Amino acid sequence: MYLRGHSLEFLLKLCENDAVAKGGRDPRSVPKLPKEPVRTRFAPSPTGYLHLGSLRTALFNYLLAKSTGGQFILRIEDTDQKRTVPDAEKRILEDLRWAGLQWDEGPEVGGLYGPYRQSENTASYRDTANKLLFSGHAYRCFCSTKRLIELATQRHKLGLPTDYDRTCASISKSESDSRALKESHVIRLRCPDQYPRFKDLIYGTVGREQQSQEATRQHISTFEDPVLLKSDGQPTYHLANIVDDHRMDITHVVRAIEWLTATPKHIFMYDALGWKPPNFAHVGLLLDQHGHKLSKRKGNLDIAHYRDENHILPGALINFVSLLGWSHNQKSDVMTLEQLVDIFDLKFTKGNTIVTFEKLWYLQKHHVQLAVERNGPEMEEVIHRVLKALREHPELNQKGEGMLRGRDLRSYVAAIVQADSKGYTTADEFLKRNDYFFKSVHEDTHPLAYGSLGPGLKCILTVSTQQLIDAASLMKDVSQESWIAERLKSNIQSIISNICEAADAATKRLKSRALFHYLRWALAESHEGSSIVDMMVILGREITLSRLDRAANLCKDAQGNVVEVAQRDPKGSHETSSAQRDIPTSSEHRSRHGLKSIKINQVGSYRVS
């Protein structure tokens, strides 16, 4: 049996020991999903907003219900009127819908088991409390708040548990009934000396059969006896929770492990009322990197923060939360809500979970790609975010209007998102990464420090500057009517074939890379992002050719002004001329322009230093 007053760690240790010693469920085994449809519930309190931990609780209950063809019920536990936040219920409903967790029964939906707000069901709680009074499993307590505080203070000083001393438990029924008519009081549960054992779906059997006499003597005058019905007639969690779960025919409850120590009380109350309890699964806490419980300061922020400030997609956040305390055997962690329903089982992780937010950004990138492929609501959300970010950057917004050439801004942004979906994390970062679609390039590029052509610069040693300029100029041969991806790709391949004529495979690869590096520098100042072909299609023929002309002129200016002759001594060293030393290619200058140290020598080929 379960001992009163013991910690959560003590209970979990009993789970492991009893499973082995008593032949119970092996803690490493995983229970199978029920074959019949189950009914689960998520019961948030509107004293705050939906946060990462509560979203995980909602998700696990949703997945358990949907994977068995059952029902997911939403219940609002709003009995704590003093702490209720005015707009919390509205926000909870909005956040759940945004995350895709639509409930089958509950507020704004209805159902056969209403009401779904506890404040509308107070009569039922009072009736149940009276049943427990009648059966002797509960009693009225008339102690004042002052006395209870003094009692708790005194016991704390003595190193004793601060539970109640049952002063009012011995009051006769007649006296209790009489005083109840005129005195303020609460109704307390009369807890047993030994709680019944129960099976948790994650931790197995909870409790032990015998408690030691020493423990009994130590706690002989200490009684948990929690309050069930407050003096204002409102129920506490312990009472309302079991009444509603029974009334709504809830079969399974997934909740945080913090409630594991309270579950024996609930099982005792179910037994006292002759009701069948639901199956319980208690999932571990969410911890930060230092092993501390996740808090608002350490990532357990409300869902609006992830949605509105970090621009996280609902699919990415749900995917991320699903991996916090649950494991699977799939090849990839990237899963949609539909896929999670299909593969869900009860393979919850024992113990607490350390939250690593780097994983969230990894999943975000993949879900943006999924959104683009599906071209559904999440794609619209991404486009909306980028448009909003663009409006918040007037310097890009105003210049971007000139880039449209009569095109619709939304369609223009949508094309950029489709072309560079792999690079999306947040709208602000995406806009920064793709700013060359909204402004001119090379406006302040120094003619002698233009060559930031990206990684793999060995390739440019195989092609002369003039070859690259001439090759790029052949894009003019593509007419406005033919300015589409297929034709542009074909044209680039033809250009590569011309400059690689009679070259071996290795040289061909290098020359091909040289051309693409040059085009990326010319069109986007070497920014990473969409493919060259997609870039040309989105920019359009006029802007593309204009940027290629600008790049060619920069190259010619550099060739005409640099006096640099690379000379090798017998040992292979390089002598640098005074003209070369005057070239502004310092790290500060290169950093300002996003450039690497690349120059053009007199013979017209690239030189990397």
Side-chain angles (χ1 to χ4, degrees):
M1 295 298 185
Y2 167 71
L3 297 178
R4 294 193 308 268
H6 281 292
S7 66
L8 175 61
E9 290 75 13
F10 178 81
L11 271 183
L12 295 179
K13 187 64 177 177
L14 288 183
C15 296
E16 297 179 4
N17 292 342
D18 283 3
V20 175
K22 304 301 180 182
R25 182 175 75 87
D26 183 343
R28 294 168 296 180
S29 64
V30 179
K32 295 181 179 179
L33 282 176
K35 294 181 179 180
E36 67 281 353
V38 305
R39 288 175 60 83
T40 65
R41 50 80 169 170
F42 175 54
S45 170
T47 54
Y49 303 122
L50 198 66
H51 53 78
L52 205 63
S54 54
L55 179 64
R56 182 185 66 156
T57 300
L59 174 63
F60 285 162
N61 281 284
Y62 176 91
L63 293 176
L64 179 53
K66 296 304 176 182
S67 64
T68 62
Q71 294 82 43
F72 172 62
I73 291 86
L74 176 62
R75 186 173 73 222
I76 303 297
E77 299 192 343
D78 60 346
T79 56
D80 192 349
Q81 295 295 324
K82 292 181 180 179
R83 296 175 56 230
T84 295
V85 177
D87 68 333
E89 180 181 330
K90 178 176 178 290
R91 282 272 301 275
I92 289 171
L93 269 58
E94 290 176 350
D95 290 344
L96 286 173
R97 283 198 173 106
W98 172 81
L101 304 184
Q102 178 59 52
W103 51 100
D104 300 298
E105 301 174 23
E108 299 183 357
V109 173
L112 300 176
Y113 295 84
Y116 294 95
R117 293 184 182 85
Q118 288 186 340
S119 59
E120 301 171 1
N121 194 40
T122 53
S124 179
Y125 308 133
R126 291 170 186 166
D127 290 343
T128 304
N130 287 329
K131 288 180 182 178
L132 292 171
L133 275 175
F134 182 79
S135 66
H137 291 96
Y139 61 93
R140 296 188 183 95
C141 176
F142 299 92
C143 293
S144 65
T145 302
K146 180 181 178 182
R147 180 186 182 277
L148 294 174
I149 293 175
E150 291 175 349
L151 175 65
T153 302
Q154 181 183 10
R155 288 184 172 277
H156 179 71
K157 290 180 180 179
L158 296 174
L160 297 173
T162 57
D163 294 328
Y164 186 54
D165 62 359
R166 282 191 177 172
T167 295
C168 296
S170 59
I171 297 175
S172 66
K173 181 180 183 305
S174 58
E175 180 184 348
S176 177
D177 291 344
S178 176
R179 292 177 63 178
L181 296 175
K182 52 188 177 182
E183 294 183 40
S184 176
H185 64 278
V186 300
I187 295 180
R188 291 181 179 273
L189 178 68
R190 192 189 300 270
C191 290
D193 291 334
Q194 296 176 336
Y195 285 112
R197 304 172 81 192
F198 73 96
K199 287 188 176 181
D200 184 86
L201 293 176
I202 299 176
Y203 291 96
T205 301
V206 178
R208 68 192 315 179
E209 292 183 352
Q210 299 293 333
Q211 64 180 35
S212 67
Q213 293 300 316
E214 180 182 355
T216 303
R217 287 195 299 273
Q218 180 182 349
H219 296 83
I220 193 68
S221 60
T222 301
F223 306 91
E224 287 186 288
D225 293 3
V227 173
L228 301 179
L229 203 66
K230 294 180 284 188
S231 58
D232 61 0
Q234 292 294 329
T236 61
Y237 175 84
H238 296 298
L239 177 62
N241 176 276
I242 70 158
V243 170
D244 286 334
D245 282 350
H246 170 72
R247 183 175 58 84
M248 296 179 179
D249 198 22
I250 301 300
T251 63
H252 291 72
V253 174
V254 182
R255 59 185 180 184
I257 200 169
E258 295 166 302
W259 291 107
L260 184 64
T261 56
T263 305
K265 302 183 187 71
H266 302 161
I267 298 296
F268 170 68
M269 293 171 67
Y270 278 109
D271 291 348
L273 292 164
W275 297 344
K276 180 182 178 181
N279 296 281
F280 291 97
H282 291 87
V283 293
L285 301 176
L286 299 182
L287 307 179
D288 64 18
Q289 295 294 316
H290 303 289
H292 301 139
K293 183 180 177 181
L294 210 61
S295 64
K296 289 185 177 180
R297 290 183 301 168
K298 299 174 182 177
N300 200 23
L301 303 167
D302 67 76
I303 301 308
H305 170 83
Y306 296 99
R307 179 187 63 224
D308 300 334
E309 295 185 34
N310 287 336
H311 304 167
I312 300 296
L313 291 181
L317 189 61
I318 283 294
N319 193 170
F320 176 65
V321 169
S322 74
L323 302 175
L324 302 178
W326 175 77
S327 58
H328 61 86
N329 58 3
Q330 303 298 299
K331 293 182 178 179
S332 171
D333 280 340
V334 181
M335 291 172 281
T336 64
L337 183 58
E338 294 81 4
Q339 290 171 325
L340 287 169
V341 170
D342 290 339
I343 69 169
F344 186 74
D345 56 23
L346 297 175
K347 196 176 181 180
F348 293 112
T349 305
K350 280 196 171 188
N352 300 325
T353 301
I354 294 178
V355 180
T356 305
F357 285 99
E358 288 79 5
K359 186 73 170 184
L360 177 58
W361 294 112
Y362 166 81
L363 294 171
Q364 169 80 341
K365 284 189 174 183
H366 283 275
H367 278 271
V368 170
Q369 294 174 52
L370 288 174
V372 170
E373 291 173 8
R374 291 183 168 191
N375 197 26
E378 287 195 339
M379 172 64 169
E380 288 300 318
E381 183 167 341
V382 171
I383 295 171
H384 170 75
R385 295 293 183 191
V386 177
L387 288 171
K388 182 180 178 182
L390 188 59
R391 288 193 293 269
E392 293 170 354
H393 292 79
E395 74 283 1
L396 292 180
N397 194 21
Q398 293 171 2
K399 292 180 179 180
E401 292 178 357
M403 304 284 291
L404 295 178
R405 296 294 196 271
R407 291 173 289 182
D408 172 66
L409 179 59
R410 186 213 163 276
S411 301
Y412 185 68
V413 168
I416 298 171
V417 170
Q418 289 174 329
D420 191 30
S421 61
K422 292 181 179 180
Y424 187 99
T425 51
T426 69
D428 288 331
E429 288 297 321
F430 184 79
L431 196 58
K432 182 179 179 180
R433 173 183 168 97
N434 290 279
D435 62 355
Y436 58 88
F437 281 114
F438 301 95
K439 67 175 186 179
S440 300
V441 296
H442 301 304
E443 290 184 334
D444 57 353
T445 301
H446 193 284
L448 302 183
Y450 69 90
S452 176
L453 301 182
L457 292 169
K458 178 182 177 182
C459 62
I460 62 178
L461 297 174
T462 63
V463 189
S464 71
T465 306
Q466 194 59 49
Q467 277 184 297
L468 292 176
I469 293 174
D470 293 343
S473 68
L474 294 176
M475 297 307 301
K476 295 179 180 179
D477 294 343
V478 183
S479 66
Q480 179 65 48
E481 294 74 18
S482 299
W483 199 265
I484 57 176
E486 292 80 2
R487 178 60 196 278
L488 291 173
K489 184 176 181 180
S490 175
N491 196 62
I492 291 175
Q493 291 300 323
S494 297
I495 293 172
I496 292 173
S497 297
N498 289 334
I499 63 175
C500 295
E501 187 176 0
D504 58 30
T507 303
K508 183 176 181 180
R509 284 195 298 271
L510 290 173
K511 288 188 175 185
S512 175
R513 288 175 61 191
L515 177 61
F516 280 108
H517 283 311
Y518 174 80
L519 290 174
R520 184 168 295 278
W521 168 76
L523 298 177
E525 292 184 329
S526 296
H527 280 233
E528 294 182 357
S530 60
S531 70
I532 296 299
V533 170
D534 286 337
M535 199 182 296
M536 288 180 171
V537 171
I538 295 170
L539 289 172
R541 184 176 187 274
E542 181 180 349
I543 294 177
T544 297
L545 297 182
S546 174
R547 291 187 179 186
L548 292 177
D549 286 342
R550 170 63 176 161
N553 290 332
L554 281 171
C555 291
K556 292 174 183 178
D557 289 344
Q559 287 177 302
N561 288 289
V562 175
V563 179
E564 177 189 50
V565 179
Q567 297 179 344
R568 288 184 179 274
D569 63 18
K571 295 182 180 180
S573 62
H574 287 77
E575 294 182 1
T576 305
S577 67
S578 59
Q580 181 181 354
R581 288 194 297 269
D582 292 336
I583 298 173
T585 56
S586 67
S587 59
E588 178 182 356
H589 178 91
R590 294 196 302 271
S591 175
R592 185 165 65 251
H593 294 288
L595 305 175
K596 289 182 174 64
S597 181
I598 306 168
K599 311 174 186 70
I600 296 178
N601 60 29
Q602 286 182 325
V603 296
S605 63
Y606 285 101
R607 177 177 179 277
V608 184
S609 59

